[in-house]
Amino acid sequence: KQEVTQIPAALSVPEGENLVLNCSFTDSAIYNLQWFRQDPGKGLTSLLLIQSSQREQTSGRLNASLDKSSGRSTLYIAASQPGDSATYLCAVDNQGGKLIFGQGTELSVKP
Amino acid sequence: DAGVTQSPTHLIKTRGQQVTLRCSPKSGHDTVSWYQQALGQGPQFIFQYYEEEERQRGNFPDRFSGHQFPNYSSELNVNALLLGDSALYLCASSSWTENTEAFFGQGTRLTVV
């Protein structure tokens, strides 16, 4: 049974800092891994998708890596801004569209 | 492109009642999945629909049922509502044949009193 864990549960950093969010999963037989952002009470916004054959994906200040053998992914956010404050969720797909989510990391970027 | 749209945005129901939530997928997508997100938790997979059939199901009781229409839109029905069904219900659309990202709607906040 796939289990996804995100560490830390919450993170508070000053504006401008580079930061790393961690995601680990127990079953390495995945189709892909996706990182999402969720603002309070809102839906999920897709940030990055990494296919199982890929090692990393980049979009602007965001970079996500994937190491299937160790069951780990990281989301790197460069030069953080107060607008980056949100909950970040990772989800793995190892069953054709059924996403298994972690509990999320609540990020607060202080001006 | 309107993306994934869900209705209603908020709903208050009484314990024991029935509720129907609706979802229209992103243009070009043919697969709809439903998730339940309790406060402070990650979303939990309820079920997935493709070609008007339920293809996968998570660990949810039969009180949760769904439907997909020929235009790919979908409904989630919950019968005999319990207080514990209060949550944010999220709809995700994707492509059955392409291993690409899933897009989510803004969700329906269901409160059972």
Side-chain angles (χ1 to χ4, degrees):
Chain A
K1 176 187 173 187
Q2 179 72 272
E3 293 183 1
V4 180
T5 304
Q6 290 187 247
I7 295 173
L11 183 63
S12 181
V13 301
E15 182 177 3
E17 192 163 297
N18 302 326
L19 58 100
V20 174
L21 307 181
N22 296 293
C23 173
S24 62
F25 48 95
T26 55
D27 183 352
S28 62
I30 64 172
Y31 290 147
N32 61 54
L33 183 146
Q34 201 166 347
W35 282 93
F36 295 90
R37 169 188 172 134
Q38 185 174 32
D39 294 293
K42 304 295 185 181
L44 276 60
T45 300
S46 178
L47 298 173
L48 290 165
L49 171 79
I50 310 178
Q51 306 281 6
S52 62
S53 59
Q54 298 174 322
R55 295 299 299 265
E56 66 177 331
Q57 281 287 336
T58 298
S59 176
R61 293 183 295 109
L62 305 179
N63 176 275
S65 68
L66 174 64
D67 184 344
K68 279 202 314 177
S69 61
S70 66
R72 298 178 68 177
S73 176
T74 61
L75 179 66
Y76 174 83
I77 303 177
S80 58
Q81 303 170 358
D84 294 331
S85 298
T87 295
Y88 290 80
L89 293 153
C90 77
V92 299
D93 178 359
N94 64 346
Q95 216 170 322
K98 174 183 175 180
L99 296 179
I100 306 298
F101 284 85
Q103 301 275 62
T105 293
E106 185 176 357
L107 173 65
S108 175
V109 181
K110 306 293 187 183
Chain B
D1 182 4
V4 182
T5 58
Q6 292 187 242
S7 63
T9 54
H10 296 84
L11 205 50
I12 300 175
K13 289 287 189 178
T14 302
R15 192 172 43 183
Q17 285 188 316
Q18 178 265 344
V19 68
T20 297
L21 311 182
R22 295 176 175 83
C23 172
S24 292
K26 179 180 170 63
S27 177
H29 284 177
D30 53 12
T31 303
V32 173
S33 300
W34 288 91
Y35 294 79
Q36 179 194 67
Q37 186 178 26
L39 206 59
Q41 304 293 316
Q44 299 290 317
F45 176 80
I46 303 175
F47 43 53
Q48 176 193 64
Y49 276 84
Y50 169 67
E51 289 189 331
E52 303 179 48
E53 290 187 13
E54 183 181 292
R55 299 292 177 160
Q56 298 189 74
R57 190 178 182 91
N59 188 26
F60 280 80
D62 291 345
R63 297 187 298 108
F64 289 77
S65 64
H67 188 77
Q68 186 180 35
F69 299 93
N71 67 353
Y72 308 123
S73 67
S74 176
E75 288 181 349
L76 164 65
N77 301 291
V78 187
N79 294 322
L81 285 166
L82 304 173
L83 298 179
D85 295 330
S86 295
L88 181 67
Y89 288 85
L90 296 163
C91 168
S93 78
S94 58
S95 168
W96 184 259
T97 56
E98 297 179 21
N99 187 8
T100 55
E101 60 192 313
F103 287 87
F104 281 75
Q106 288 300 294
T108 294
R109 170 68 64 186
L110 172 65
T111 303
V112 182
V113 298

